[in-house]
Amino acid sequence: MNVVEVTKALANETRFDIVRWLGDPEGNFRPHKDGKDFSDGVCVAVIQEKTGMSQSTTSHYLSILQRSDLVVPVRIGKWTYYSRNEATIKAYIKELKTQL
């Protein structure tokens, strides 16, 4: 894990918010329209709705978070669902404590 790259990914307020919101999907996102729970993550459309940004910007932000290993995508049919990568987040916090 590259601490600087993860920090860059989190330096944008909306990307930071997405990672924070994914920590408690039930409390931060509306339910999926198909009644699906959040066990596979949160659908991109639901994340996009919460950000208030365009679909393309939201997808771009999610790809940055994915490249930094902060989120994990799961493809189900034509939909992609995202959840937090808790292992990376814990390792990042540990490295910050060690390096700073």
XYZ file of all heavy atoms in Angstrom:
801
model
N 0.828 -1.175 0.000
C 0.000 0.000 0.000
C 0.876 1.243 0.000
O 1.822 1.343 0.758
C -0.903 0.001 1.232
C -1.843 1.154 1.230
S -1.977 2.149 2.723
C -1.153 1.269 3.946
N 0.537 2.172 -0.875
C 1.279 3.415 -0.984
C 0.514 4.509 -0.228
O -0.551 4.937 -0.655
C 1.446 3.783 -2.463
C 2.287 5.010 -2.667
O 2.192 5.983 -1.929
N 3.114 4.960 -3.702
N 1.059 4.941 0.902
C 0.396 5.911 1.762
C 0.110 7.212 1.017
O -0.972 7.797 1.158
C 1.234 6.187 3.034
C 0.644 7.311 3.845
C 1.349 4.934 3.872
N 1.040 7.664 0.201
C 0.862 8.921 -0.521
C -0.284 8.795 -1.525
O -1.124 9.690 -1.632
C 2.175 9.357 -1.211
C 1.942 10.556 -2.113
C 3.237 9.664 -0.168
N -0.348 7.689 -2.257
C -1.425 7.497 -3.239
C -2.791 7.408 -2.566
O -3.772 7.958 -3.065
C -1.153 6.262 -4.099
C 0.009 6.427 -5.058
C -0.129 7.635 -5.974
O -1.212 7.844 -6.556
O 0.853 8.390 -6.093
N -2.862 6.714 -1.442
C -4.134 6.631 -0.714
C -4.520 8.010 -0.197
O -5.683 8.420 -0.286
C -4.064 5.596 0.429
C -5.315 5.629 1.277
C -3.843 4.193 -0.132
N -3.554 8.753 0.299
C -3.829 10.105 0.789
C -4.338 10.993 -0.348
O -5.284 11.769 -0.158
C -2.574 10.722 1.431
O -2.154 9.869 2.511
C -2.824 12.119 1.956
N -3.743 10.881 -1.525
C -4.205 11.652 -2.682
C -5.648 11.292 -3.027
O -6.453 12.167 -3.343
C -3.313 11.395 -3.898
C -1.968 12.053 -3.843
C -1.192 11.712 -5.105
C 0.226 12.205 -5.063
N 0.969 11.812 -6.290
N -5.968 10.016 -2.975
C -7.330 9.570 -3.292
C -8.328 10.146 -2.291
O -9.447 10.516 -2.660
C -7.407 8.045 -3.306
N -7.927 10.249 -1.038
C -8.816 10.756 0.009
C -8.802 12.281 0.123
O -9.602 12.850 0.862
C -8.422 10.146 1.359
C -8.674 8.646 1.497
C -8.069 8.132 2.788
C -10.163 8.346 1.423
N -7.896 12.941 -0.613
C -7.758 14.395 -0.508
C -8.945 15.148 -1.095
O -9.173 16.304 -0.751
C -6.464 14.850 -1.176
N -9.711 14.511 -1.950
C -10.908 15.128 -2.506
C -12.061 14.891 -1.539
O -12.297 13.762 -1.111
C -11.200 14.511 -3.875
C -12.505 14.971 -4.448
O -13.561 14.470 -4.067
N -12.437 15.906 -5.374
N -12.797 15.950 -1.195
C -13.839 15.841 -0.178
C -14.924 14.830 -0.548
O -15.373 14.057 0.305
C -14.472 17.214 0.066
C -15.458 17.226 1.208
C -15.975 18.614 1.521
O -15.550 19.597 0.876
O -16.807 18.712 2.429
N -15.336 14.798 -1.797
C -16.384 13.857 -2.197
C -15.882 12.420 -2.139
O -16.599 11.528 -1.674
C -16.911 14.187 -3.610
O -17.418 15.537 -3.605
C -18.021 13.233 -4.023
N -14.654 12.175 -2.579
C -14.104 10.808 -2.488
C -13.980 10.396 -1.033
O -14.299 9.254 -0.678
C -12.760 10.718 -3.221
C -12.900 10.842 -4.724
C -11.636 10.453 -5.463
N -10.470 11.231 -5.113
C -9.983 12.237 -5.823
N -10.578 12.617 -6.943
N -8.901 12.870 -5.446
N -13.532 11.297 -0.187
C -13.457 11.014 1.245
C -14.846 10.669 1.780
O -15.017 9.703 2.517
C -12.862 12.218 1.992
C -12.711 11.993 3.467
C -11.577 11.391 3.975
C -13.715 12.379 4.346
C -11.439 11.175 5.350
C -13.591 12.161 5.711
C -12.444 11.560 6.207
N -15.845 11.470 1.387
C -17.217 11.221 1.828
C -17.715 9.846 1.368
O -18.360 9.136 2.135
C -18.169 12.302 1.311
C -18.057 13.603 2.066
O -17.498 13.611 3.190
O -18.540 14.627 1.540
N -17.421 9.477 0.131
C -17.863 8.171 -0.378
C -17.315 7.052 0.503
O -18.057 6.150 0.911
C -17.455 7.967 -1.847
C -18.247 8.918 -2.764
C -17.649 6.505 -2.286
C -17.731 8.992 -4.197
N -16.034 7.107 0.814
C -15.430 6.073 1.663
C -16.070 6.100 3.051
O -16.397 5.055 3.621
C -13.892 6.250 1.753
C -13.290 5.279 2.751
C -13.261 6.049 0.381
N -16.288 7.283 3.581
C -16.927 7.421 4.895
C -18.349 6.868 4.855
O -18.740 6.081 5.721
C -16.924 8.893 5.310
C -17.451 9.159 6.703
C -17.264 10.619 7.109
N -17.796 11.567 6.142
C -19.066 11.968 6.097
N -19.948 11.504 6.960
N -19.457 12.847 5.190
N -19.128 7.245 3.852
C -20.510 6.767 3.727
C -20.581 5.258 3.597
O -21.472 4.618 4.142
C -21.197 7.396 2.526
C -21.391 8.876 2.589
C -21.519 9.662 3.708
C -21.480 9.764 1.477
N -21.686 10.979 3.350
C -21.661 11.075 1.988
C -21.409 9.596 0.097
C -21.790 12.191 1.162
C -21.544 10.702 -0.725
C -21.730 11.978 -0.188
N -19.631 4.674 2.852
C -19.635 3.214 2.666
C -19.364 2.469 3.967
O -19.639 1.275 4.069
C -18.629 2.805 1.587
C -19.024 3.168 0.154
C -17.857 2.892 -0.798
C -20.265 2.414 -0.282
N -18.844 3.157 4.970
C -18.627 2.543 6.278
C -19.930 2.196 6.985
O -19.961 1.329 7.859
N -21.013 2.863 6.618
C -22.339 2.601 7.195
C -23.378 2.780 6.087
O -24.098 3.785 6.066
C -22.613 3.557 8.357
C -24.010 3.367 8.961
O -24.637 2.305 8.749
O -24.478 4.305 9.645
N -23.448 1.841 5.153
C -24.345 2.032 4.006
C -25.812 2.168 4.382
O -26.534 2.981 3.806
C -24.098 0.805 3.124
C -23.344 -0.158 3.945
C -22.696 0.602 5.061
N -26.261 1.412 5.376
C -27.673 1.491 5.777
C -28.025 2.878 6.315
O -29.134 3.366 6.115
C -28.016 0.426 6.835
C -28.016 -0.996 6.315
C -26.621 -1.632 6.293
O -25.638 -0.999 6.738
O -26.515 -2.767 5.815
N -27.084 3.505 6.997
C -27.321 4.817 7.567
C -27.105 5.975 6.612
O -27.560 7.081 6.863
N -26.388 5.718 5.509
C -26.011 6.810 4.612
C -26.638 6.787 3.229
O -26.573 7.787 2.510
C -24.484 6.847 4.459
C -23.819 7.310 5.717
O -24.089 8.392 6.211
N -22.959 6.475 6.279
N -27.199 5.665 2.825
C -27.773 5.558 1.488
C -29.216 5.098 1.558
O -29.589 4.344 2.467
C -26.979 4.551 0.634
C -25.565 4.968 0.371
C -24.520 4.437 1.107
C -25.261 5.895 -0.619
C -23.202 4.810 0.872
C -23.955 6.282 -0.861
C -22.920 5.738 -0.123
N -29.993 5.518 0.572
C -31.353 5.023 0.473
C -31.306 3.552 0.084
O -30.319 3.087 -0.504
C -32.142 5.835 -0.546
C -31.649 5.600 -1.983
C -32.733 5.898 -2.991
N -32.244 5.826 -4.345
C -32.092 4.703 -5.053
N -32.354 3.538 -4.512
N -31.653 4.737 -6.298
N -32.357 2.797 0.371
C -32.374 1.386 -0.040
C -32.329 1.257 -1.566
O -32.780 2.160 -2.288
C -33.705 0.866 0.500
C -34.107 1.835 1.561
C -33.535 3.167 1.152
N -31.777 0.153 -2.038
C -31.791 -0.120 -3.477
C -33.236 -0.295 -3.928
O -34.064 -0.858 -3.200
C -30.986 -1.391 -3.802
C -29.519 -1.230 -3.579
N -28.828 -1.959 -2.641
C -28.607 -0.415 -4.158
C -27.553 -1.615 -2.665
N -27.398 -0.670 -3.577
N -33.546 0.169 -5.124
C -34.920 0.116 -5.638
C -35.435 -1.308 -5.797
O -36.622 -1.557 -5.684
C -35.022 0.875 -6.958
C -34.925 2.369 -6.775
C -35.070 3.120 -8.070
C -34.942 4.613 -7.796
N -34.958 5.389 -9.019
N -34.530 -2.248 -6.046
C -34.956 -3.639 -6.230
C -35.098 -4.381 -4.903
O -35.354 -5.572 -4.872
C -33.987 -4.381 -7.145
C -32.561 -4.439 -6.603
O -32.312 -3.966 -5.478
O -31.687 -4.969 -7.316
N -34.933 -3.658 -3.793
C -35.061 -4.272 -2.474
C -33.822 -5.020 -2.020
O -33.785 -5.598 -0.938
N -32.772 -5.015 -2.846
C -31.514 -5.706 -2.513
C -30.875 -5.040 -1.294
O -30.873 -3.826 -1.174
C -30.583 -5.632 -3.719
C -29.302 -6.401 -3.559
C -28.564 -6.415 -4.881
C -27.250 -7.121 -4.829
N -26.836 -7.720 -3.609
N -30.329 -5.871 -0.406
C -29.640 -5.313 0.761
C -28.242 -4.840 0.351
O -27.878 -4.875 -0.814
C -29.590 -6.326 1.905
C -28.761 -7.563 1.573
O -27.967 -7.530 0.606
O -28.894 -8.560 2.295
N -27.458 -4.406 1.321
C -26.129 -3.869 1.035
C -25.017 -4.901 1.214
O -23.847 -4.530 1.290
C -25.860 -2.653 1.929
C -26.748 -1.477 1.634
C -27.736 -1.089 2.521
C -26.590 -0.753 0.467
C -28.541 0.000 2.263
C -27.394 0.343 0.184
C -28.379 0.721 1.082
N -25.354 -6.177 1.254
C -24.332 -7.200 1.503
C -23.272 -7.250 0.398
O -22.127 -7.615 0.662
C -24.976 -8.578 1.684
O -25.701 -8.943 0.527
N -23.632 -6.881 -0.824
C -22.655 -6.839 -1.919
C -22.097 -5.442 -2.136
O -21.303 -5.218 -3.034
C -23.287 -7.334 -3.223
C -23.586 -8.820 -3.185
O -22.723 -9.589 -2.702
O -24.679 -9.216 -3.628
N -22.533 -4.489 -1.340
C -22.096 -3.113 -1.485
C -23.239 -2.218 -1.910
O -24.410 -2.596 -1.849
N -22.882 -1.028 -2.356
C -23.854 -0.021 -2.756
C -23.732 0.196 -4.257
O -22.632 0.373 -4.787
C -23.622 1.306 -1.999
C -24.645 2.356 -2.407
C -23.649 1.080 -0.491
N -24.863 0.193 -4.940
C -24.907 0.387 -6.390
C -24.373 1.769 -6.750
O -24.613 2.751 -6.038
C -26.352 0.225 -6.872
S -26.558 0.459 -8.632
N -23.669 1.846 -7.872
C -23.118 3.115 -8.340
C -24.212 4.179 -8.453
O -24.002 5.333 -8.078
C -22.405 2.938 -9.700
C -21.982 4.278 -10.265
C -21.216 2.018 -9.564
N -25.382 3.799 -8.937
C -26.473 4.774 -9.096
C -26.885 5.380 -7.760
O -27.182 6.583 -7.675
C -27.676 4.111 -9.764
N -26.869 4.591 -6.704
C -27.237 5.081 -5.371
C -26.135 5.997 -4.838
O -26.421 7.039 -4.233
C -27.520 3.898 -4.413
C -27.778 4.372 -3.005
C -28.699 3.077 -4.930
N -24.877 5.637 -5.081
C -23.754 6.489 -4.669
C -23.820 7.809 -5.433
O -23.680 8.891 -4.848
C -22.403 5.783 -4.897
C -22.295 4.538 -4.008
C -21.235 6.748 -4.634
C -21.105 3.647 -4.324
N -24.071 7.739 -6.729
C -24.152 8.935 -7.571
C -25.261 9.859 -7.091
O -25.078 11.069 -7.001
C -24.363 8.524 -9.025
C -24.406 9.675 -10.003
C -25.812 10.094 -10.356
O -26.698 9.269 -10.524
N -26.025 11.384 -10.466
N -26.387 9.290 -6.754
C -27.506 10.082 -6.242
C -27.106 10.838 -4.973
O -27.409 12.018 -4.814
C -28.679 9.148 -5.960
C -29.925 9.809 -5.456
C -30.999 8.777 -5.174
O -31.558 8.214 -6.131
O -31.260 8.526 -3.978
N -26.407 10.166 -4.086
C -25.991 10.778 -2.813
C -24.973 11.900 -3.044
O -25.023 12.935 -2.363
C -25.413 9.701 -1.894
C -24.838 10.208 -0.587
C -25.843 10.246 0.502
C -25.175 10.572 1.838
N -26.112 10.702 2.895
N -24.055 11.718 -3.989
C -23.044 12.744 -4.250
C -23.636 13.971 -4.923
O -23.099 15.069 -4.770
C -21.892 12.229 -5.148
O -22.389 11.959 -6.456
C -21.200 11.026 -4.544
N -24.716 13.773 -5.683
C -25.299 14.873 -6.447
C -24.483 15.238 -7.666
O -24.709 16.261 -8.305
N -23.526 14.388 -8.017
C -22.661 14.633 -9.171
C -23.129 13.788 -10.348
O -23.954 12.893 -10.194
C -21.218 14.311 -8.815
C -20.685 15.166 -7.703
S -18.963 14.807 -7.377
C -18.421 16.419 -6.880
N -22.547 14.032 -11.495
C -22.903 13.257 -12.684
C -22.441 11.812 -12.518
O -21.552 11.507 -11.710
C -22.264 13.861 -13.929
O -20.857 13.676 -13.895
N -23.031 10.945 -13.308
C -22.650 9.529 -13.282
C -21.190 9.368 -13.675
O -20.452 8.590 -13.065
C -23.577 8.723 -14.204
C -23.341 7.228 -14.156
C -22.241 6.755 -15.093
O -21.993 7.348 -16.136
N -21.572 5.688 -14.707
N -20.744 10.127 -14.670
C -19.357 9.971 -15.135
C -18.362 10.429 -14.064
O -17.328 9.781 -13.858
C -19.130 10.720 -16.448
O -19.351 12.105 -16.278
N -18.658 11.529 -13.372
C -17.764 11.999 -12.302
C -17.740 11.000 -11.157
O -16.668 10.667 -10.631
C -18.197 13.391 -11.798
O -18.128 14.311 -12.884
C -17.306 13.866 -10.657
N -18.915 10.503 -10.780
C -18.979 9.526 -9.694
C -18.196 8.272 -10.060
O -17.420 7.756 -9.250
C -20.445 9.169 -9.370
O -21.141 10.377 -9.034
C -20.537 8.191 -8.213
N -18.363 7.778 -11.288
C -17.616 6.595 -11.731
C -16.117 6.856 -11.736
O -15.330 5.986 -11.358
C -18.081 6.156 -13.121
O -19.390 5.655 -13.053
N -15.724 8.046 -12.151
C -14.297 8.405 -12.145
C -13.751 8.402 -10.715
O -12.674 7.849 -10.460
C -14.106 9.772 -12.799
C -12.701 10.264 -12.763
N -11.670 9.659 -13.473
C -12.130 11.293 -12.089
C -10.532 10.294 -13.230
N -10.789 11.294 -12.393
N -14.494 8.996 -9.792
C -14.066 9.008 -8.392
C -13.964 7.590 -7.842
O -13.014 7.255 -7.126
C -15.020 9.829 -7.543
C -14.851 11.330 -7.672
C -13.887 11.893 -8.508
C -15.657 12.186 -6.954
C -13.744 13.263 -8.618
C -15.509 13.563 -7.050
C -14.552 14.095 -7.885
O -14.401 15.449 -7.978
N -14.926 6.743 -8.170
C -14.887 5.354 -7.697
C -13.699 4.608 -8.287
O -13.089 3.784 -7.608
C -16.206 4.644 -8.014
C -17.380 5.086 -7.137
C -18.700 4.607 -7.738
C -17.222 4.585 -5.708
N -13.335 4.904 -9.532
C -12.168 4.226 -10.124
C -10.885 4.664 -9.422
O -9.970 3.853 -9.226
C -12.093 4.465 -11.628
O -11.756 5.795 -11.926
N -10.791 5.936 -9.025
C -9.627 6.405 -8.269
C -9.560 5.680 -6.928
O -8.496 5.201 -6.514
C -9.687 7.937 -8.064
C -9.463 8.643 -9.391
C -8.667 8.394 -7.011
C -9.768 10.140 -9.360
N -10.690 5.565 -6.251
C -10.728 4.860 -4.967
C -10.407 3.383 -5.139
O -9.736 2.780 -4.296
C -12.104 5.042 -4.308
C -12.445 6.471 -3.891
C -13.902 6.561 -3.443
C -11.506 6.969 -2.803
N -10.846 2.793 -6.242
C -10.553 1.378 -6.513
C -9.067 1.175 -6.786
O -8.458 0.235 -6.268
C -11.378 0.899 -7.705
C -11.188 -0.569 -8.009
C -12.002 -1.014 -9.209
O -12.907 -0.328 -9.665
N -11.672 -2.177 -9.723
N -8.455 2.061 -7.573
C -7.015 1.945 -7.851
C -6.192 2.068 -6.572
O -5.117 1.492 -6.461
C -6.576 2.996 -8.872
C -6.915 2.637 -10.295
C -6.187 3.515 -11.307
N -6.373 4.939 -11.103
C -7.349 5.667 -11.634
N -8.257 5.095 -12.399
N -7.419 6.962 -11.405
N -6.698 2.820 -5.606
C -6.019 2.969 -4.319
C -6.392 1.850 -3.358
O -5.954 1.852 -2.207
C -6.384 4.317 -3.685
O -5.961 5.361 -4.513
N -7.213 0.923 -3.811
C -7.643 -0.245 -3.039
C -8.493 0.124 -1.821
O -8.573 -0.640 -0.870
C -6.427 -1.085 -2.632
C -6.781 -2.544 -2.394
O -7.762 -3.031 -2.991
O -6.084 -3.191 -1.592
N -9.125 1.294 -1.875
C -9.986 1.715 -0.765
C -11.395 1.143 -0.884
O -12.108 1.039 0.108
C -10.055 3.242 -0.699
C -8.787 3.919 -0.204
C -8.804 5.403 -0.531
C -8.621 3.692 1.289
N -11.811 0.827 -2.109
C -13.120 0.228 -2.332
C -12.968 -1.019 -3.188
O -12.001 -1.159 -3.936
C -14.119 1.213 -2.998
C -14.384 2.412 -2.106
C -13.654 1.639 -4.373
N -13.945 -1.899 -3.048
C -13.939 -3.160 -3.781
C -15.219 -3.228 -4.611
O -16.319 -3.120 -4.061
C -13.884 -4.358 -2.811
C -13.919 -5.670 -3.562
C -12.665 -4.261 -1.917
N -15.084 -3.405 -5.943
C -16.275 -3.524 -6.772
C -16.739 -4.976 -6.887
O -15.927 -5.899 -6.854
C -15.802 -3.019 -8.135
C -14.358 -3.412 -8.168
C -13.870 -3.326 -6.732
N -18.051 -5.145 -6.995
C -18.643 -6.457 -7.273
C -19.616 -6.247 -8.415
O -20.514 -5.408 -8.321
C -19.385 -7.023 -6.035
C -20.126 -8.304 -6.395
C -18.433 -7.261 -4.895
N -19.407 -6.973 -9.490
C -20.274 -6.859 -10.663
C -21.369 -7.916 -10.560
O -21.082 -9.105 -10.439
C -19.441 -7.050 -11.929
C -20.205 -6.871 -13.188
C -20.118 -5.443 -13.614
N -20.730 -5.325 -14.929
C -21.102 -4.191 -15.441
N -20.916 -3.091 -14.780
N -21.644 -4.152 -16.621
N -22.632 -7.477 -10.631
C -23.768 -8.388 -10.613
C -24.659 -7.992 -11.780
O -25.285 -6.918 -11.749
C -24.545 -8.334 -9.277
C -23.623 -8.722 -8.128
C -25.767 -9.247 -9.336
C -24.225 -8.575 -6.749
N -24.660 -8.832 -12.811
C -25.397 -8.481 -14.018
C -24.798 -7.237 -14.631
O -23.593 -7.141 -14.820
N -25.638 -6.248 -14.909
C -25.136 -5.012 -15.511
C -24.787 -3.949 -14.464
O -24.371 -2.856 -14.798
C -26.153 -4.452 -16.503
C -27.458 -4.023 -15.897
C -28.385 -3.475 -16.967
C -29.689 -2.984 -16.340
N -30.523 -2.313 -17.309
N -24.941 -4.280 -13.188
C -24.718 -3.324 -12.115
C -23.407 -3.598 -11.381
O -23.003 -4.738 -11.220
C -25.872 -3.358 -11.113
C -27.200 -3.147 -11.765
C -28.151 -4.099 -11.990
C -27.708 -1.944 -12.320
N -29.224 -3.554 -12.638
C -28.983 -2.223 -12.854
C -27.221 -0.645 -12.411
C -29.767 -1.258 -13.468
C -28.007 0.323 -13.027
C -29.257 0.014 -13.542
N -22.784 -2.532 -10.904
C -21.584 -2.657 -10.085
C -21.892 -2.082 -8.706
O -22.459 -0.997 -8.591
C -20.391 -1.905 -10.711
O -20.169 -2.415 -12.024
C -19.129 -2.100 -9.880
N -21.497 -2.832 -7.696
C -21.707 -2.452 -6.307
C -20.345 -2.248 -5.654
O -19.404 -2.999 -5.921
C -22.482 -3.544 -5.563
C -23.871 -3.759 -6.107
C -24.097 -4.551 -7.230
C -24.972 -3.154 -5.509
C -25.378 -4.731 -7.741
C -26.254 -3.335 -6.008
C -26.442 -4.119 -7.121
O -27.709 -4.289 -7.627
N -20.253 -1.252 -4.791
C -18.987 -0.943 -4.125
C -19.121 -1.048 -2.610
O -20.138 -0.651 -2.037
C -18.524 0.481 -4.476
C -17.965 0.596 -5.857
C -18.787 0.851 -6.946
C -16.607 0.416 -6.089
C -18.271 0.942 -8.229
C -16.079 0.505 -7.362
C -16.911 0.776 -8.424
O -16.397 0.857 -9.689
N -18.069 -1.575 -1.999
C -17.963 -1.608 -0.539
C -16.553 -1.166 -0.164
O -15.654 -1.142 -1.007
C -18.276 -2.997 0.008
O -17.400 -3.945 -0.553
N -16.382 -0.817 1.096
C -15.062 -0.400 1.574
C -14.138 -1.590 1.711
O -14.559 -2.680 2.047
C -15.170 0.257 2.956
C -15.767 1.596 2.914
C -15.900 2.329 4.221
N -15.295 1.837 5.423
C -14.916 2.617 6.427
N -15.082 3.920 6.349
N -14.411 2.118 7.515
N -12.865 -1.353 1.484
C -11.848 -2.357 1.751
C -11.278 -2.044 3.138
O -10.371 -1.234 3.281
C -10.755 -2.333 0.684
C -9.766 -3.450 0.869
O -9.621 -3.993 1.959
N -9.084 -3.804 -0.202
N -11.871 -2.672 4.139
C -11.490 -2.382 5.528
C -10.032 -2.702 5.807
O -9.388 -2.011 6.600
C -12.410 -3.128 6.495
C -13.871 -2.722 6.416
C -14.150 -1.274 6.785
O -13.335 -0.659 7.512
O -15.190 -0.750 6.355
N -9.500 -3.725 5.165
C -8.091 -4.094 5.385
C -7.162 -2.964 4.946
O -6.197 -2.627 5.650
C -7.754 -5.389 4.658
N -7.437 -2.365 3.803
C -6.608 -1.254 3.322
C -6.739 -0.049 4.239
O -5.751 0.615 4.550
C -6.995 -0.875 1.882
O -6.700 -1.978 1.026
C -6.237 0.354 1.400
N -7.950 0.233 4.674
C -8.170 1.383 5.556
C -7.408 1.206 6.868
O -6.728 2.128 7.339
C -9.677 1.611 5.786
C -10.325 2.068 4.467
C -9.916 2.628 6.900
C -11.832 2.047 4.464
N -7.473 0.019 7.443
C -6.731 -0.248 8.684
C -5.232 -0.144 8.465
O -4.509 0.422 9.295
C -7.102 -1.629 9.230
C -8.489 -1.663 9.833
C -8.851 -3.053 10.302
C -10.295 -3.072 10.791
N -10.773 -4.393 11.107
N -4.743 -0.699 7.346
C -3.310 -0.628 7.051
C -2.873 0.811 6.823
O -1.784 1.220 7.264
C -2.985 -1.481 5.825
N -3.703 1.590 6.174
C -3.406 3.006 5.925
C -3.274 3.769 7.248
O -2.310 4.509 7.458
C -4.500 3.611 5.049
C -4.394 5.095 4.845
C -3.365 5.644 4.083
C -5.331 5.967 5.393
C -3.267 7.010 3.880
C -5.246 7.335 5.197
C -4.214 7.850 4.440
O -4.123 9.208 4.245
N -4.224 3.579 8.131
C -4.192 4.256 9.432
C -2.943 3.834 10.217
O -2.266 4.659 10.828
C -5.487 3.989 10.218
C -6.667 4.683 9.519
C -5.359 4.444 11.670
C -8.029 4.256 10.014
N -2.637 2.553 10.174
C -1.440 2.054 10.875
C -0.176 2.692 10.314
O 0.705 3.110 11.071
C -1.382 0.526 10.754
C -0.211 -0.089 11.477
C -0.220 -1.594 11.351
C 0.997 -2.188 12.027
N 1.054 -3.644 11.871
N -0.086 2.768 8.968
C 1.093 3.384 8.337
C 1.198 4.865 8.677
O 2.298 5.374 8.891
C 1.065 3.180 6.834
C 1.481 1.806 6.386
C 2.922 1.490 6.777
O 3.836 2.293 6.502
O 3.130 0.412 7.377
N 0.081 5.554 8.698
C 0.111 6.970 9.079
C 0.662 7.143 10.483
O 1.504 8.014 10.730
C -1.285 7.579 9.005
C -1.806 8.003 7.642
C -3.217 8.547 7.773
C -0.894 9.026 6.994
N 0.206 6.301 11.400
C 0.690 6.372 12.779
C 2.190 6.088 12.841
O 2.918 6.720 13.598
C -0.065 5.389 13.664
C -1.474 5.813 13.970
C -2.171 4.778 14.842
C -3.587 5.185 15.159
N -4.265 4.182 15.984
N 2.649 5.142 12.035
C 4.055 4.765 12.033
C 4.922 5.854 11.394
O 5.974 6.210 11.923
C 4.250 3.446 11.259
O 3.472 2.444 11.882
C 5.702 3.026 11.215
N 4.463 6.364 10.252
C 5.278 7.306 9.481
C 5.204 8.738 9.978
O 6.123 9.527 9.742
C 4.898 7.247 7.991
C 5.264 5.916 7.374
C 4.994 5.884 5.894
O 5.017 6.909 5.228
N 4.739 4.704 5.365
N 4.103 9.074 10.639
C 3.996 10.454 11.126
C 4.336 10.512 12.600
O 4.408 11.455 13.240
C 2.580 11.006 10.888
C 2.203 11.234 9.433
C 0.768 11.732 9.335
C 3.125 12.261 8.781
